[in-house]
Amino acid sequence: EAGVAQSPRYKIIEKRQSVAFWCNPISGHATLYWYQQILGQGPKLLIQFQNNGVVDDSQLPKDRFSAERLKGVDSTLKIQPAKLEDSAVYLCASSSTLARPQETQYFGPGTRLLVL
Amino acid sequence: GQQLNQSPQSMFIQEGEDVSMNCTSSSIFNTWLWYKQDPGEGPVLLIALYKAGELTSNGRLTAQFGITRKDSFLNISASIPSDVGIYFCAGRPTDSWGKLQFGAGTQVVVTP
């Protein structure tokens, strides 16, 4: 079974530029999560999708971050415009269903973003 | 807001030694999870705990869900070089639905 795929693996941009990350979850997984992991910290949930609907985006900085999962499969996370403090690893995770909260979340390798 | 406190922040141990780390929460959790993250990779689930008092092992790893439901610990016995990495606790508050909170991680370094 293929794992969670993310691209690109690395991205370097200048502040005020825009950037987009892509995630393809494990096949058949209904729930998709985007996390931000700042160096030296644990992952912090940004947004959670169930199929193509948003379940929780309370910690997403909506003035500059946006995410979509239009067909309920793959997802994109965008930052526009980027700030220096957005430098982090952006992790995507998926789980088979939200119906059972204890469902295991499987993480992708992450996209490492450096904003200069 | 809710916070997870994970300690220690880092550990330098010799191969063969046991390792112990713990997490405490300011609120009650219904799930405790322990993940390991290797450099350049995403976290990988090691152990999941769903009931207060539950003690679960996975090879040389043992974790427990605290009776108060506000804490958990992870033990690694007889450490080996491949145990190097960052270990994260994660918990699911009782009022959340799927949402996990992560600790800041424990960096483990194993020397031969």
Side-chain angles (χ1 to χ4, degrees):
Chain A
E1 177 181 79
V4 176
Q6 289 188 249
S7 67
R9 292 296 306 272
Y10 305 91
K11 191 73 177 179
I12 301 174
I13 61 172
E14 293 186 345
K15 60 183 179 183
R16 291 188 289 273
Q17 285 187 323
S18 301
V19 65
F21 313 128
W22 175 81
C23 171
N24 193 22
I26 292 173
S27 177
H29 278 193
T31 311
L32 185 147
Y33 311 79
W34 282 102
Y35 289 85
Q36 180 192 58
Q37 186 176 22
I38 293 172
L39 186 64
Q41 298 181 18
K44 183 186 83 172
L45 180 69
L46 293 176
I47 189 167
Q48 177 179 335
F49 290 95
Q50 174 74 356
N51 296 309
N52 62 350
V54 175
V55 175
D56 186 340
D57 63 356
S58 58
Q59 298 192 95
L60 187 73
K62 299 181 185 65
D63 58 332
R64 297 184 301 105
F65 286 65
S66 64
E68 60 184 16
R69 193 184 184 201
L70 293 177
K71 297 182 179 179
V73 181
D74 56 346
S75 174
T76 55
L77 176 69
K78 297 179 182 178
I79 307 175
Q80 180 179 11
K83 293 185 176 181
L84 297 178
E85 59 262 35
D86 297 333
S87 295
V89 176
Y90 291 85
L91 294 163
C92 180
S94 70
S95 61
S96 61
T97 177
L98 198 56
R100 295 191 297 275
Q102 62 266 38
E103 282 291 331
T104 298
Q105 294 184 24
Y106 296 89
F107 285 83
T111 295
R112 278 141 190 83
L113 174 67
L114 178 61
V115 182
L116 302 175
Chain B
Q2 297 166 335
Q3 290 188 349
L4 280 186
N5 295 308
Q6 184 172 351
S7 64
Q9 187 175 13
S10 61
M11 303 186 71
F12 292 80
I13 59 172
Q14 284 195 323
E15 186 174 355
E17 288 184 341
D18 297 345
V19 176
S20 184
M21 62 194 79
N22 67 82
C23 266
T24 58
S25 166
S26 58
S27 57
I28 293 173
F29 282 12
N30 60 26
T31 304
W32 281 100
L33 307 170
W34 286 92
Y35 285 85
K36 182 186 180 209
Q37 187 172 27
D38 292 327
E41 300 296 330
V44 174
L45 183 65
L46 299 174
I47 292 181
L49 303 159
Y50 301 114
K51 294 190 297 186
E54 181 179 356
L55 184 71
T56 298
S57 293
N58 177 9
R60 294 178 296 105
L61 308 177
T62 302
Q64 185 161 29
F65 194 140
I67 293 293
T68 66
R69 299 174 67 189
K70 291 185 177 182
D71 64 317
S72 177
F73 72 76
L74 174 71
N75 286 339
I76 307 172
S77 63
S79 59
I80 59 177
S82 61
D83 291 334
V84 166
I86 302 177
Y87 292 78
F88 290 98
C89 63
R92 190 172 281 123
T94 53
D95 60 349
S96 80
W97 195 253
K99 184 175 179 177
L100 288 178
Q101 294 181 10
F102 281 80
T106 295
Q107 170 86 57
V108 172
V109 177
V110 180
T111 58

